[in-house]
Amino acid sequence: MCDHDHSSASSNPSVHQTFDELEFDRSLGNAALCGEVDKVVEHLRKGTNVNSLDAGGYAPIHYAARQGHINIARLLLSHGGDVNIQTRSGRATALLRAAFSGKKEMCQFLIEKGADVKAVDDDGQTVLHRAVKSGHLPLVNYILEIAPELKTQADKRGLVPMIGDL
């Protein structure tokens, strides 16, 4: 398990982890989250479905995007990964996840690979809303360069990205 512990396990994981947590620890999603290229490759060789949503509703590309693991995202996409797959809850894409985490290089990579820059989540939030929330000004500027129309796009609560606050 990498340092991104998703369990509530303490010193004895076999006693405290749920079945879903144990399953996640062995999953392609966890390997993508942790940036473990060898484990990702092993899953791909075994034919693991790169677009399968886990118990949390995320595909492996969502985990790679959130952490900025471009090498992992490249592997997943080259094996049929859907760059625009949405999470079960919230309908977030990998691009939205990367933007919220302030991962500019990952956002650039995903957009180059066909990520829909105009995608919105269940709250109507765009990649620009997410980039502003991350507080990452270079990412905000990049999004504004490629999709300036997002500056005035309101979410479902009627809020536009507050760029002046950065």
Side-chain angles (χ1 to χ4, degrees), residues 49-105:
N49 181 350
V50 296
N51 293 314
S52 179
L53 300 180
D54 64 15
Y58 299 94
I61 191 76
H62 296 122
Y63 292 111
R66 182 179 100 186
Q67 296 303 115
H69 297 309
I70 293 172
N71 56 340
I72 302 291
R74 183 176 289 114
L75 271 171
L76 295 170
L77 295 176
S78 71
H79 284 81
D82 178 356
V83 74
N84 290 306
I85 194 168
Q86 296 177 310
T87 60
R88 189 176 300 118
S89 175
R91 312 293 295 160
T93 63
L95 179 60
L96 292 169
R97 301 270 299 162
F100 187 73
S101 297
K103 305 295 186 191
K104 180 183 177 200
E105 292 79 16

Side-chain angles (χ1 to χ4, degrees), residues 98-141:
F100 187 73
S101 297
K103 305 295 186 191
K104 180 183 177 200
E105 292 79 16
M106 177 60 84
C107 289
Q108 291 171 313
F109 170 78
L110 292 169
I111 290 167
E112 288 169 12
K113 295 299 181 184
D116 181 2
V117 74
K118 295 182 182 182
V120 296
D121 65 15
D122 273 352
D123 294 324
Q125 297 217 328
T126 67
V127 66
L128 185 58
H129 285 98
R130 296 282 187 106
V132 167
K133 281 184 181 179
S134 79
H136 195 271
L137 189 57
L139 175 56
V140 170
N141 289 333

Side-chain angles (χ1 to χ4, degrees), residues 3 11 14 16 30 42 95 103 113 130 134 153 166:
D3 61 354
S11 62
S14 65
H16 297 284
N30 189 50
E42 182 181 321
L95 179 60
K103 305 295 186 191
K113 295 299 181 184
R130 296 282 187 106
S134 79
Q153 187 169 334
L166 294 178

Side-chain angles (χ1 to χ4, degrees), residues 144-161:
L144 286 171
E145 285 175 23
I146 63 168
E149 66 279 10
L150 296 180
K151 185 176 184 178
T152 58
Q153 187 169 334
D155 66 13
K156 287 185 177 178
R157 295 184 303 162
L159 303 173
V160 294

